[in-house]
Amino acid sequence: MDVDLRKLRYFVAVAEELHFGRAAQRLHIAQPVLSRQIRALEHELGVQLFARDRRSTVSTEAGRQLLEDARPLLASAEALHRRVRRAAHGRPTFTIAFMPGIIVTAESRALAARHPDLTVGVVRTSWNDQVEVVREGRADVSYVRLPVDQRGLRLRPLFSEPRVVVLPADHRLSGKESIDLVELVEERLLQDPDAVPEWRDLPNRSAEPNPLARPALHSVEEKLEHVAAYGGVAVLPLSTATFYTRPDVTHVPVDDLAPNQVCLAWAEGNPSPLVEEFAEIAAARYAEVTVLAGNREEADETLGDR
């Protein structure tokens, strides 16, 4: 059976909205047209995807499974479309996605030096879209911070770094050399707890008065604004916290937080040999950085013994 990508897009919109009217508005089509397309898809698959009554729309088990499989399929199709369009323009391109605190200048220059006819570009991502950029073909590779949904991806570990808590500059814990996570038990975490699972598992943590009121923050800048305004605390990788310097916030190491792992990610279906070449460049660069850091630490210890 051939899968109609248009019907799949319609299905995903309904499955995410769980409301045919809102889904139709999102897709800019009439609701009766959307309903007919979903019924046609159910007929083709031989299953019921939604249970509907006058008050609600609920995904069936088959619908939930299709949603899980449809998202990466649609992203892969979009990535294919983007690669074909880029190829049609003649000059080859390679796009590198990076997160705040991660600098990719050395790697991008190294790849450009090896391929003078290649246009190398960069795109900034966030926690929310760090893997979607490669699934959708907006970037060839992406520097990602674990954990991520690894379906349809290949990952190359690069380095790890400590995580710190970002606090208002005059916070009671400000200026401490380090703290344990339990010392933050009464604080309000501005992030989704899934991003900091150690926080979620803290014993005796007070329930938030209204967990649904957690603000939807999509950038580091937004998190820092809320921290500075006493809206809560944020846990960030050390490089991200030090990249954004401002006088009204500070950061403190947290001893019992596991380091943040940074990997290079790319789509399994990306056939470009440049991806593997760039992965080798990135891995070699961070191996060199690790060696240099180790040599500095060894030199510091030697000087300290004198």
Side-chain angles (χ1 to χ4, degrees):
M1 182 194 75
D2 294 329
V3 178
D4 187 333
L5 294 181
R6 183 183 60 177
K7 289 192 183 77
L8 273 187
R9 291 190 184 93
Y10 289 175
F11 161 77
V12 168
V14 177
E16 291 179 345
E17 299 289 347
L18 290 179
H19 190 283
F20 275 74
R22 288 196 297 269
Q25 290 178 351
R26 170 174 154 183
L27 294 165
H28 305 291
I29 63 173
Q31 184 173 336
V33 173
L34 177 59
S35 297
R36 285 197 299 271
Q37 292 295 318
I38 296 300
R39 284 197 297 270
L41 180 60
E42 289 177 323
H43 178 73
E44 292 169 7
L45 296 174
V47 297
Q48 182 181 2
L49 298 172
F50 300 103
R52 300 175 63 185
D53 58 31
R54 291 185 177 181
R55 290 178 296 180
S56 65
T57 298
V58 179
S59 296
T60 63
E61 188 63 36
R64 288 189 287 273
Q65 182 62 55
L66 181 59
L67 179 61
E68 183 177 338
D69 293 333
R71 283 169 170 156
L73 180 61
L74 290 173
S76 182
E78 177 63 22
L80 173 65
H81 191 197
R82 290 176 186 272
R83 288 196 296 269
V84 170
R85 285 202 305 257
R86 286 203 299 264
H89 291 128
R91 186 178 175 91
T93 64
F94 190 88
T95 303
I96 305 160
F98 66 97
M99 294 191 73
I102 299 176
I103 298 174
V104 299
T105 308
E107 299 95 306
S108 60
R109 284 180 173 175
L111 186 68
R114 292 186 183 188
H115 302 275
D117 293 332
L118 182 68
T119 299
V120 180
V122 296
V123 59
R124 182 184 185 275
T125 64
S126 69
W127 174 267
N128 298 316
D129 66 350
Q130 57 178 332
V131 296
E132 296 310 316
V133 292
V134 289
R135 287 200 177 110
E136 296 172 1
R138 288 183 281 140
D140 293 278
V141 295
S142 178
Y143 287 76
V144 301
R145 297 188 183 277
L146 300 186
V148 297
D149 179 358
Q150 300 184 22
R151 288 175 298 176
L153 301 177
R154 293 183 61 190
L155 298 182
R156 179 76 175 262
L158 295 178
F159 66 94
S160 62
E161 60 174 320
R163 287 185 291 169
V164 299
V165 62
V166 182
L167 309 163
D170 57 355
H171 191 276
R172 59 186 173 83
L173 299 174
S174 175
K176 297 194 75 170
E177 187 172 329
S178 66
I179 62 172
D180 292 326
L181 193 60
V182 71
E183 296 180 69
L184 300 168
V185 70
E186 298 296 330
E187 302 292 338
R188 180 190 188 212
L189 184 70
L190 291 170
Q191 295 142 285
D192 184 335
D194 286 342
V196 191
E198 299 93 337
W199 172 275
R200 185 187 54 211
D201 299 334
L202 269 178
N204 304 319
R205 182 168 57 85
S206 300
E208 293 185 27
N210 183 7
L212 296 178
R214 180 182 293 113
L217 305 177
H218 304 294
S219 69
V220 177
E221 293 89 344
E222 290 174 307
K223 292 186 179 84
L224 295 181
E225 284 295 333
H226 279 266
V227 170
Y230 303 95
V233 301
V235 172
L236 298 177
L238 178 60
S239 64
T240 306
T242 55
F243 184 79
Y244 294 89
T245 56
R246 46 186 294 171
D248 49 1
V249 300
T250 188
H251 62 269
V252 178
V254 183
D255 288 333
D256 50 351
L257 275 181
N260 175 240
Q261 178 71 49
V262 176
C263 297
L264 189 72
W266 62 93
E268 286 182 343
N270 190 337
S272 172
L274 291 172
V275 170
E276 293 284 356
E277 182 177 355
F278 185 84
E280 292 298 328
I281 291 173
R285 186 228 166 183
Y286 281 103
E288 180 181 351
V289 168
T290 301
V291 169
L292 291 174
N295 289 342
R296 283 197 298 269
E297 290 178 3
E298 184 178 342
D300 289 344
E301 289 176 2
T302 301
L303 290 171
D305 291 339
R306 292 181 180 178

